[in-house]
C-alpha cells in the first residue's frame, strides 16, 4: 500500500541537470523532430535563442529518472512492477536550451484507490538555478491494489 502521507508533499529538489547540446540533437533525431532550431546552433541563435532548443518532450530525459527513483523507494510502497502510465502533460514556461542548468522538484499531488487500483498524480516543477520556472510536467500513474491483478 502506498504511503498516503506523501500527498501534498514536495520532495527535495534535485542537483542541477546540465542540458547538453548533443543530448538535444539526439533526442530530436530519435523522435523525428526536424526543426532546425533543435539541431543547428546558428538557426537557434538567429531565432533568438541562446543555443539549440529542446523539443517539449525532452523534459522526460531528466524528470523520469527522478520519478523512477521515488517510485522505487520502499518507504513510499509503490508497486513499480505492475504500474501503467495513465496520462502525462507538459507545460513549458520558456524554451529549454543547450547549456541550461535545471532543477526538478517532485510534488505528490494526489493518491487515491478506486476500483482495485491505486492512482497517483505527480507534478514536476522544473526551474533554472535562479529559481525561474521553466516547465511543469504532470503525470498519472496507476497500479493494481494488493490482492488485485
Amino acid at each position: 500500500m502506498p504511503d498516503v502521507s506523501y500527498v501534498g508533499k514536495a520532495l527535495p529538489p534535485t542537483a542541477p541537470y546540465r542540458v547538453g547540446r548533443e543530448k538535444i540533437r539526439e533526442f530530436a533525431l530519435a523522435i523525428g523532430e526536424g526543426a532546425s532550431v533543435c539541431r543547428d546552433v546558428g538557426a537557434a541563435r538567429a531565432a533568438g535563442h541562446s543555443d539549440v532548443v529542446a523539443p517539449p518532450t525532452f523534459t522526460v530525459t531528466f524528470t523520469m529518472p527522478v520519478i523512477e527513483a521515488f517510485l522505487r523507494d520502499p518507504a513510499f510502497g509503490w508497486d513499480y512492477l505492475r504500474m501503467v502510465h495513465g496520462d502525462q502533460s507538459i507545460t513549458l514556461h520558456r524554451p529549454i536550451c543547450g547549456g541550461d542548468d535545471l532543477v526538478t522538484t517532485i510534488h505528490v499531488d494526489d493518491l487515491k484507490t478506486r476500483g482495485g487500483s491505486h492512482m497517483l498524480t505527480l507534478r514536476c516543477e522544473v526551474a533554472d538555478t535562479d529559481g525561474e520556472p521553466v516547465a511543469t510536467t504532470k503525470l498519472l500513474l496507476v497500479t493494481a491494489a494488493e490482492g488485485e491483478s
Side-chain angles (χ1 to χ4, degrees):
M1 174 73 182
D3 184 346
V4 295
S5 72
Y6 280 84
V7 175
K9 292 183 179 178
L11 279 63
T14 64
Y17 171 84
R18 169 60 59 98
V19 178
R21 181 182 294 161
E22 286 307 311
K23 289 267 188 191
I24 290 173
R25 288 177 175 150
E26 291 168 357
F27 187 83
L29 179 64
I31 65 168
E33 174 56 69
S36 60
V37 296
C38 296
R39 296 176 280 116
D40 181 351
V41 176
R45 289 186 176 149
H49 302 286
S50 61
D51 208 304
V52 293
V53 179
T57 52
F58 181 80
T59 55
V60 299
T61 63
F62 58 91
T63 60
M64 288 308 291
V66 177
I67 291 167
E68 181 180 346
F70 167 64
L71 295 174
R72 289 184 181 274
D73 182 347
F76 181 56
W78 186 253
D79 185 352
Y80 190 86
L81 296 177
R82 296 193 301 169
M83 179 182 74
V84 294
H85 196 164
D87 193 21
Q88 185 162 8
S89 67
I90 301 168
T91 302
L92 287 178
H93 305 295
R94 69 155 174 86
I96 295 173
C97 295
D100 281 344
D101 290 312
L102 303 176
V103 175
T104 300
T105 302
I106 295 176
H107 297 261
V108 182
D109 284 348
D110 194 22
L111 174 62
K112 56 188 157 199
T113 302
R114 300 278 193 278
S117 297
H118 299 299
M119 294 172 274
L120 174 65
T121 303
L122 298 176
R123 174 173 42 93
C124 292
E125 295 293 345
V126 179
D128 64 22
T129 53
D130 292 328
E132 294 298 316
V134 174
T136 301
T137 70
K138 294 180 182 178
L139 67 155
L140 172 66
L141 302 169
V142 181
T143 191
E146 293 78 16
E148 303 290 331
S149 57

